[in-house]
Amino acid sequence: MPDVDRRRAWLLTVDGAPQSYVDLDEPTHLEFEYARRLGHVLDCAAEDGRPLDVLHLGGGALTLPRYVAATRPGSRQHVVDADRGLLALVGEHLPLPDGAGVDVHGADARTWLEAAPSDSVDVLVADVFGGSRVPAHLTTKAYAREADRVLRPGGSYAANLADGAPFAFLRSQLATFRAVFAHLALVAEPAVLRGRRFGNAVLVASQTAFDVPELARRTARDAFPARVEHGAGLHRFVGDARPVTEGDAVPSPEPPGGSFSVG
């Protein structure tokens, strides 16, 4: 659907839920709150303008690949999405600019990840939803190990997740990635973290310490302010949650009616 306020901007919905927003004239414009937070993680991944190798699991309208191509020219990016029809639709109506350095692949995210070379990417962004839910096979400790294998030393994993109080899914994901990665952070709106509403949260993981203060500064001064939880506060939030195994994996919870729908 076109955005009447921006000449070449488009909202992509899937089954009535907003999925992506793209401004073809201004690829650095990130409309959705979770996309802005993933953008902050990408901005903090290296010094400004330095090209990165990025793997995106989940493509949508290719909002974040466009952002990286604009902010870090020369980056090499791969986008993996199982919905080949959606990729074809986006390619036809919202084409990437020439020389963007983005390769798009129609494939299952977990299958692609398991076949990807070790130590091959600087940042892995996971934004995979089947409808409005994160698929179960992208929630396990084995999946987290594959993400760690593909990342280069010093690389970062960032995932868009969704949950609400009592946060059984989100806590289990933090426990799962804590079992594999040495450093974790969680970026979310304070109202979501306090359990006042269902919403998105961005999980960040790395084997080396990342610049949490800079990430916190960027998210706090955003048009949609967020909080960064890490260290002891994050440990308390995780509580007694346990890592997810292949045998007990479940999708993220179904959002309450109207949480992500558009009129």
Side-chain angles (χ1 to χ4, degrees):
M1 297 184 293
D3 184 340
V4 296
D5 295 321
R6 302 176 74 95
R7 189 175 68 87
R8 296 183 70 218
W10 299 85
L11 173 67
L12 171 68
T13 66
V14 177
D15 297 329
Q19 214 272 359
S20 299
Y21 181 99
V22 168
D23 187 333
L24 296 178
D25 290 332
E26 193 176 345
T28 59
H29 175 75
L30 301 177
E31 181 78 7
F32 292 167
E33 296 176 24
Y34 82 83
R36 296 174 72 92
R37 288 160 196 162
L38 289 169
H40 294 317
V41 175
L42 288 160
D43 290 341
C44 292
E47 58 271 20
D48 289 349
R50 196 190 99 186
L52 294 172
D53 290 339
V54 184
L55 173 59
H56 302 264
L57 301 181
L62 310 181
T63 303
L64 287 169
R66 298 172 203 268
Y67 179 82
V68 172
T71 58
R72 299 181 177 277
S75 294
R76 295 178 296 181
Q77 302 185 78
H78 290 275
V79 179
V80 181
D81 199 299
D83 192 338
R84 292 177 173 85
L86 176 60
L87 293 176
L89 178 72
V90 170
E92 179 181 357
H93 294 282
L94 305 172
L96 290 163
D98 292 338
V102 179
D103 293 322
V104 180
H105 313 274
D108 174 75
R110 175 84 177 257
T111 302
W112 177 275
L113 185 65
E114 290 172 346
S118 300
D119 301 329
S120 58
V121 301
D122 300 304
V123 183
L124 197 167
V125 178
D127 185 16
V128 184
F129 283 77
S132 297
R133 307 177 73 182
V134 177
H137 70 306
L138 302 182
T139 68
T140 68
K141 187 174 177 181
Y143 164 75
R145 285 179 176 145
E146 286 298 316
D148 178 40
R149 179 187 62 80
V150 169
L151 285 167
R152 291 181 178 135
S156 297
Y157 174 90
N160 177 34
L161 306 174
D163 201 3
F167 300 113
F169 175 76
L170 187 56
R171 291 170 61 239
S172 75
Q173 286 307 282
L174 289 163
T176 299
F177 279 80
R178 184 175 63 182
V180 175
F181 288 88
H183 300 271
L184 290 184
L186 185 69
V187 187
E189 180 187 346
V192 171
L193 291 175
R194 294 187 188 115
R196 293 178 181 172
R197 69 176 184 85
F198 189 98
N200 296 92
V202 170
L203 182 157
V204 187
S206 180
Q207 295 294 12
T208 59
F210 44 88
D211 195 345
V212 171
E214 178 59 21
L215 180 60
R217 281 191 292 270
R218 289 174 182 263
T219 57
R221 65 176 182 245
D222 192 272
F224 303 101
R227 192 168 83 218
V228 178
E229 286 287 355
H230 65 102
L234 191 60
H235 181 77
R236 288 192 297 271
F237 182 84
V238 176
D240 60 358
R242 300 178 62 83
V244 178
T245 67
E246 297 295 309
D248 58 20
V250 296
S252 64
E254 189 76 42
S259 294
F260 300 130
S261 64
V262 294

